[in-house]
Amino acid sequence: MTQTNMTTPYAFRPLRNLFLALCFIGFCTTACKKSGSGSGEIDPRDQYVGTYDGGYTTQTLLNNALPYSDEAGKVTIAVSKSQAVDELYLDFTFNSTTKERRTAQLTENKFTITDKQSETIYFGTDSKGSPVGYDAAYTANGQFTENNLLITTKSEARAVSQLLTKNGSITCTKK
């Protein structure tokens, strides 16, 4: 008569159940980390959020040489986070009156304004004495340095065989 050992398959069941339980716990733990729950990651944009006060200057040049007009004033910029991970909103208030919001694409501490590609440069007057505006291509770049916010802007347009260039500079300090 042949005798089989019936106890051997039952000895591995507790180990199999323990293995399955550990795999399940490991899966749940990994899934929580991937979803960001409780990961404690800090948004790098948080260091830039706040209000900045300072001043601005602009200079319009004819053919990149002859100054045509200058402007200077005060500016306040409120920086906040947008929905996109690498974007900020910049809410400008010029001379306590003129307001505009711009979206900035952030890379480390530098950014580019992405939602403004043109502006009007005024040069000369028409027959009624009203200023004549020319549509100009616009670019703006900036950076955060310690507690400062620095922005440079440039616009260019052609006006009756003249190249109009408007350069701007903004320097602000975080409150």
Side-chain angles (χ1 to χ4, degrees), residues 45-62:
R45 298 175 298 168
D46 289 339
Q47 64 187 316
Y48 306 126
V49 170
T51 304
Y52 296 78
D53 281 331
Y56 74 92
T57 60
T58 64
Q59 183 179 46
T60 303
L61 302 171
L62 295 172

Side-chain angles (χ1 to χ4, degrees), residues 109-163:
N109 69 326
K110 297 180 180 182
F111 61 88
T112 301
I113 301 294
T114 58
D115 59 350
K116 182 176 181 179
Q117 289 79 36
S118 66
E119 75 173 348
T120 302
I121 298 178
Y122 292 96
F123 176 68
T125 56
D126 63 13
S127 60
K128 298 178 184 177
S130 299
V132 177
Y134 296 89
D135 190 37
Y138 175 89
T139 59
N141 299 296
Q143 70 178 15
F144 295 95
T145 61
E146 297 196 21
N147 284 332
N148 296 317
L149 169 57
L150 312 168
I151 302 173
T152 57
T153 65
K154 184 174 186 173
S155 303
E156 286 188 337
R158 286 260 170 222
V160 194
S161 75
Q162 300 289 326
L163 175 64

Side-chain angles (χ1 to χ4, degrees), residues 52-122:
Y52 296 78
D53 281 331
Y56 74 92
T57 60
T58 64
Q59 183 179 46
T60 303
L61 302 171
L62 295 172
N63 298 321
N64 284 324
L66 300 170
Y68 175 70
S69 68
D70 294 324
E71 183 182 346
K74 294 182 185 269
V75 64
T76 299
I77 304 172
V79 177
S80 59
K81 297 188 293 188
S82 78
Q83 296 296 329
V85 174
D86 56 353
E87 286 184 348
L88 292 170
Y89 291 129
L90 305 177
D91 291 301
F92 295 86
T93 305
F94 294 98
N95 298 317
S96 301
T97 57
T98 306
K99 296 181 181 205
E100 67 180 57
R101 172 175 264 200
R102 294 287 153 238
T103 303
Q105 181 79 36
L106 185 65
T107 304
E108 295 178 7
N109 69 326
K110 297 180 180 182
F111 61 88
T112 301
I113 301 294
T114 58
D115 59 350
K116 182 176 181 179
Q117 289 79 36
S118 66
E119 75 173 348
T120 302
I121 298 178
Y122 292 96

